Amino acid sequence: MKTKILLLFFALTYTLTSNAYTTLRVQDPQQTWTNYQGVIDTAIISIKPKGAYFECGLYLTYSARGHVNNYDTFEVQQFFDLPEGSIMHDSWLWVGNQIVQASLIDRIKATLIYEGIVKRRQDPSILYKNSATQYELRIFPMAANQTRKVKITYLVPAKWGNSSVQCPLPMNILKSSAFTPFVQVLSYNDVVWQNPRIDELPNTYFQLTGNPFTTATIVAPLITANNELNYTLSSPMQNGVFAAKYEVSATEGFYQVVVVPSQALSNNVAKKAALLFDYEPTLSNTTPAQVLAKAKQTLYQYFAPTDSFNLIFSQLNIYRASNVWLPCDTATIEHTFNNLVGGNPISYYSNLPSLIANGVDFLKTNGQSGELILFSNSDNQPTPAIANQLITDIQTMMSPYRFPVNIVDYTEKNFTTNLISNTYYAGNEYFYKNLSAMTGGSYERTLLYSSYYYNPSTRPFNEAVTELFESLDGEITNFDAYPLSPNGFCYGKYTTISNGIVPVSKPYIQIGKYSGDAPDQIEITGVFNSMPFSETLNISQAFASDELTEKMWVGNYIQTLEDANPDAQGKGQIVSISVQKRVLSLYTAFLALEPSDTTQICNDCEDETGTATAIDDVVQDSVSLQAMPNPFSSEVQIQVHLTSALKESSLQIYNVMGQLVKILSMDLARGNDFSVTWNGGDEKGETVSAGIYILVLSSPHAKHTLKLIKN
């Protein structure tokens, strides 16, 4: 059966290009030359695992907070990106305290209706799909001192690993706001999908708030444009396989299968990897906290409990988390990362040669096997003379073995550039490329562009780490997967591959239809390490799914038709299935109108936030925060100015990992202007280490932040 392409590419959520597309503006449609950056006052996202995808319900309340009442009404214009393969299938608009569920109609017709209504100052919203990843939401009207609430519901490809499955959170949408909101994440309680967490924020916890939710709140300082955050659950996968089915009738339905070949194949070999960390603070936009969080998350994703790891850090005296291999079970990973000396031992200077030498020594004295994974952004070995000598020394130290050195180079700014043999190399790129090639390792880098250097094959930090970890076990060629039905057949399958090549550690996903009985086995074939193989995996214990599995299939079918550059007849076919199955396409739009004879209030629409009531006008807090000196060494004086006294407010300091460091006392009785001194101590009275800290002034209506730098 011919395999079709499933646009489920598991590149990490947002690329640098897509971040540039995500913007939020408000403007008067009658005065189009004047616009402002809009504000997201509240953000709540409900998340439901559905197997190959997660369903996300994003509730947003918009305002023009901070802008004077120059115009009587604004139009909200939210442009945003979602990961490739996402499927938009619903849109709601609040009119007063009532919910209007959008209709899905032909795009041209929807646009004409929307534009006509906007001119008459009525209440519509419209949601477009502009490309495979880009969307546009418009809402009208919004008075300068009022808010508008919407919900968009979409399916996003899940990121499957050996022991966890992840849903990317839409941080770029929230960061498009003029004032970044705190976001509440609602996690559905489920007996199959357990242990909700956000790996990048280990101190953000989900708490039971009553069925069917547990909830967690992400504070505004932790929401940055380049900070990928993922909602994570423990994987229900058994022996590297997950399967689910949706029965449309007794004789037909849809199925989904997820396979991690490294765990499903009988010839699986356990991995051993020592992770090495080296850091130059002036050469990267990526922080040590982000590096360490991504390393931990990726261990969960791509290593199994039977695999082994260690952590080694570049310091004056190289620091090892352990002198022996550690098992990659959840408890050991958590214990190891939580008990690192100093919390994050990544130093603010490079000691790269000693770090690599220590890693090689660890491999030689612990079984003479394994490989190194180096996270580094140093540029101290930029020339061939320096680089070649160091590579020779490393190979000599390895002898008689050859240990693969895999490298994530996250040098992104202020780097030196060298022209070597008519090729430009940025920072340590010449050294990293040759070291990884000569040892049989992989190399990934994050730099995209500079005035002297361009490399189109590079990618953002999180994506580079994923690409490298997926390459550790090699790849399968001529791969194919055949679902087997005992009394029937399967067809119309969409998969994550189009060229027959699958990295052994990368999840393979297939969604398809069946006629007769649902498939109970899947046969996978291919060539691995030059040896053909064929194995049959049991999927008879498939989980029961719902109609969203059909929407997954329809979304991929529509995307395939859109990619074919359709003619007028083809576009008509897309519009027809889009409207019939309620899945947004390039040629349709979700249009919500104010209640009328033809547009009814949705009484069945369940507001999961429990706030389906009229939203009061936002009470504005006007606050000014200043800190002197900043950066500081021993203490910093924080000056607070308020235009009106705030009650029930708090002043807190967080580190970049989201951990509460210190609560500062405020005497609001002193009036609207006062100062508070922080001596650089935490709640225990101990002096904190050098680094970046976030001051947060919280009131019932808003959050205000200021970055503090301690030398």
Side-chain angles (χ1 to χ4, degrees):
M1 182 179 296
K2 183 178 179 181
T3 300
K4 301 179 182 178
I5 300 173
L6 170 66
L7 293 175
L8 276 175
F9 306 130
F10 288 88
L12 293 182
T13 313
Y14 305 111
T15 65
L16 296 179
T17 301
S18 66
N19 277 335
Y21 179 83
T22 301
T23 58
L24 173 58
R25 311 298 298 175
V26 293
Q27 72 172 27
D28 189 323
Q30 309 301 320
Q31 306 285 343
T32 56
W33 60 86
T34 303
N35 63 75
Y36 306 98
Q37 186 175 4
V39 176
I40 299 174
D41 276 320
T42 62
I44 300 173
I45 181 168
S46 64
I47 305 179
K48 304 174 186 177
K50 297 294 179 180
Y53 285 77
F54 282 86
E55 184 185 44
C56 298
L58 183 57
Y59 297 81
L60 300 173
T61 303
Y62 292 101
S63 80
R65 177 157 56 97
H67 304 307
V68 296
N69 297 332
N70 289 334
Y71 308 108
D72 60 340
T73 53
F74 288 106
E75 180 188 40
V76 177
Q77 303 171 356
Q78 174 78 78
F79 295 84
F80 63 97
D81 294 85
L82 293 176
E84 192 159 10
S86 296
I87 299 167
M88 186 72 64
H89 70 88
D90 206 1
S91 176
W92 298 355
L93 172 70
W94 270 254
V95 179
N97 64 347
Q98 298 175 311
I99 298 173
V100 175
Q101 186 177 30
S103 299
L104 187 58
I105 61 176
D106 179 272
R107 179 172 179 143
I108 296 176
K109 180 180 178 181
T111 301
L112 292 174
I113 295 172
Y114 179 83
E115 294 297 335
I117 290 176
V118 166
K119 294 177 182 178
R120 300 198 303 272
R121 293 290 200 266
Q122 296 181 39
D123 282 3
S125 73
I126 195 165
L127 177 60
Y128 299 115
K129 177 183 177 183
N130 291 334
S131 76
T133 61
Q134 298 173 330
Y135 298 82
E136 176 184 347
L137 173 67
R138 291 177 178 263
I139 311 160
F140 186 87
M142 182 178 71
N145 62 347
Q146 293 181 338
T147 62
R148 296 306 303 269
K149 181 179 177 180
V150 299
K151 178 191 179 187
I152 57 174
T153 307
Y154 60 93
L155 294 165
V156 62
K159 297 188 289 188
W160 282 82
N162 291 317
S163 60
S164 65
V165 58
Q166 295 184 322
C167 172
L169 298 177
M171 294 299 102
N172 61 337
I173 298 177
L174 305 180
K175 197 59 184 177
S176 67
S177 170
F179 306 100
T180 307
F182 285 30
V183 59
Q184 188 176 32
V185 181
L186 308 182
S187 171
Y188 265 81
N189 300 322
D190 192 285
V191 295
V192 176
W193 308 88
Q194 296 286 310
N195 304 317
R197 61 188 185 274
I198 299 173
D199 285 337
E200 298 87 353
L201 305 176
N203 294 287
T204 298
Y205 300 102
F206 283 86
Q207 299 177 336
L208 183 63
T209 55
N211 289 325
F213 292 117
T214 57
T215 65
T217 300
I218 303 173
V219 297
L222 301 177
I223 300 173
T224 63
N226 63 345
N227 185 18
E228 176 191 304
L229 299 180
N230 292 278
Y231 167 85
T232 304
L233 296 166
S234 296
S235 171
M237 184 174 285
Q238 298 293 324
N239 300 318
V241 181
F242 170 87
K245 62 180 180 180
Y246 167 55
E247 297 180 352
V248 177
S249 70
T251 58
E252 62 178 348
F254 296 82
Y255 70 91
Q256 48 178 303
V257 178
V258 184
V259 177
V260 178
S262 63
Q263 298 303 305
L265 295 177
S266 58
N267 61 350
N268 174 47
V269 178
K271 293 190 289 287
K272 293 182 178 180
L275 280 58
L276 279 54
F277 300 92
D278 186 69
Y279 186 71
E280 285 277 6
T282 62
L283 301 180
S284 180
N285 297 314
T286 306
T287 68
Q290 291 170 335
V291 173
L292 201 59
K294 184 60 181 177
K296 178 183 176 183
Q297 173 205 332
T298 315
L299 282 175
Y300 276 123
Q301 283 290 101
Y302 294 102
F303 278 55
T306 54
D307 296 327
S308 303
F309 80 103
N310 195 11
L311 310 177
I312 306 177
F313 297 86
S314 181
Q315 295 183 352
L316 186 60
N317 295 312
I318 302 302
Y319 167 58
R320 291 180 184 174
S322 172
N323 286 318
V324 297
W325 287 112
L326 299 168
C328 272
D329 58 86
T330 300
T332 303
I333 293 175
E334 285 295 322
H335 177 80
T336 303
F337 278 84
N338 291 341
N339 289 276
L340 293 171
V341 173
N344 189 334
I346 297 179
S347 63
Y348 275 69
Y349 59 86
S350 173
N351 191 3
L352 185 58
S354 296
L355 177 67
I356 297 175
N358 194 284
V360 172
D361 177 71
F362 174 78
L363 297 184
K364 293 185 73 173
T365 57
N366 284 273
Q368 298 90 42
S369 63
E371 52 194 313
L372 303 178
I373 300 176
L374 172 64
F375 296 81
S376 179
N377 67 333
S378 170
D379 68 346
N380 294 328
Q381 292 78 28
T383 66
I386 298 173
N388 291 339
Q389 181 62 59
L390 182 54
I391 291 172
T392 299
D393 291 344
I394 292 170
Q395 290 178 311
T396 300
M397 186 177 182
M398 286 184 181
S399 181
Y401 310 103
R402 187 179 80 154
F403 303 119
V405 181
N406 307 279
I407 302 171
V408 177
D409 176 6
Y410 57 102
T411 310
E412 298 158 344
K413 61 181 182 179
N414 303 330
F415 50 81
T416 58
T417 304
N418 291 278
L419 181 62
I420 304 171
S421 300
N422 296 319
T423 301
Y424 282 104
Y425 293 89
N428 267 5
E429 184 178 14
Y430 176 87
F431 167 66
Y432 293 142
K433 278 188 171 181
N434 283 279
L435 177 61
S436 60
M438 291 183 179
T439 60
S442 300
Y443 171 73
E444 296 287 342
R445 69 163 302 121
T446 64
L447 176 71
L448 288 176
Y449 175 77
S450 77
S451 57
Y452 302 101
Y453 181 94
Y454 175 69
N455 186 344
S457 66
T458 57
R459 50 187 57 84
F461 173 75
N462 290 316
E463 191 173 322
V465 176
T466 296
E467 291 287 335
L468 185 135
F469 271 74
E470 287 179 350
S471 70
L472 294 180
D473 290 325
E475 60 188 21
I476 301 171
T477 58
N478 300 312
F479 183 86
D480 209 344
Y482 303 88
L484 305 174
S485 172
N487 294 293
F489 61 92
C490 300
Y491 64 102
K493 63 180 182 180
Y494 292 89
T495 77
T496 50
I497 66 169
S498 59
N499 58 2
I501 300 176
V502 178
V504 177
S505 295
K506 185 174 183 177
Y508 165 85
I509 294 178
Q510 184 179 118
I511 297 173
K513 291 182 174 183
Y514 68 85
S515 178
D517 291 338
D520 62 358
Q521 292 180 322
I522 185 166
E523 183 183 18
I524 58 175
T525 61
V527 178
F528 181 55
N529 289 337
S530 301
M531 293 294 294
F533 70 87
S534 176
E535 293 199 18
T536 301
L537 308 176
N538 181 21
I539 58 173
S540 61
Q541 300 301 316
F543 292 96
S545 185
D546 56 24
E547 68 277 1
L548 290 179
T549 297
E550 181 178 5
K551 288 188 183 292
M552 297 175 199
W553 189 92
V554 171
N556 283 279
Y557 177 57
I558 287 175
Q559 188 63 59
T560 301
L561 295 177
E562 291 173 343
D563 291 342
N565 192 25
D567 55 17
Q569 183 178 356
K571 292 176 182 177
Q573 180 185 1
I574 293 172
V575 170
S576 177
I577 191 171
S578 172
V579 172
Q580 179 185 356
K581 298 299 183 180
R582 199 169 169 80
V583 171
L584 185 63
S585 73
L586 292 175
Y587 310 109
T588 52
F590 277 115
L591 179 67
L593 306 176
E594 67 178 355
S596 65
D597 292 340
T598 57
T599 304
Q600 303 297 320
I601 294 298
C602 183
N603 295 316
D604 296 329
C605 292
E606 179 187 0
D607 182 357
E608 298 154 313
T609 68
T611 57
T613 57
I615 301 174
D616 296 331
D617 293 349
V618 176
V619 179
Q620 302 303 323
D621 298 335
S622 182
V623 173
S624 173
L625 296 174
Q626 292 181 315
M628 294 183 63
N630 193 19
F632 70 99
S633 297
S634 57
E635 65 178 35
V636 57
Q637 187 177 63
I638 300 160
Q639 185 68 38
V640 181
H641 168 73
L642 313 173
T643 57
S644 60
L646 297 178
K647 298 180 180 180
E648 301 177 8
S649 299
S650 63
L651 198 60
Q652 300 170 321
I653 294 174
Y654 293 85
N655 62 23
V656 292
M657 292 293 289
Q659 299 165 312
L660 178 64
V661 173
K662 180 70 175 178
I663 300 176
L664 302 177
S665 61
M666 294 193 304
D667 185 3
L668 296 177
R670 288 184 289 171
N672 299 348
D673 292 273
F674 56 89
S675 63
V676 178
T677 299
W678 180 40
N679 63 2
D682 60 17
E683 286 293 288
K684 298 179 181 179
E686 299 176 356
T687 301
V688 301
S689 60
I692 297 174
Y693 296 87
I694 306 297
L695 174 72
V696 180
L697 175 62
S698 304
S699 77
H701 307 296
K703 310 290 181 183
H704 308 272
T705 64
L706 179 67
K707 181 167 69 175
L708 305 175
I709 303 175
K710 185 177 185 301
N711 291 328

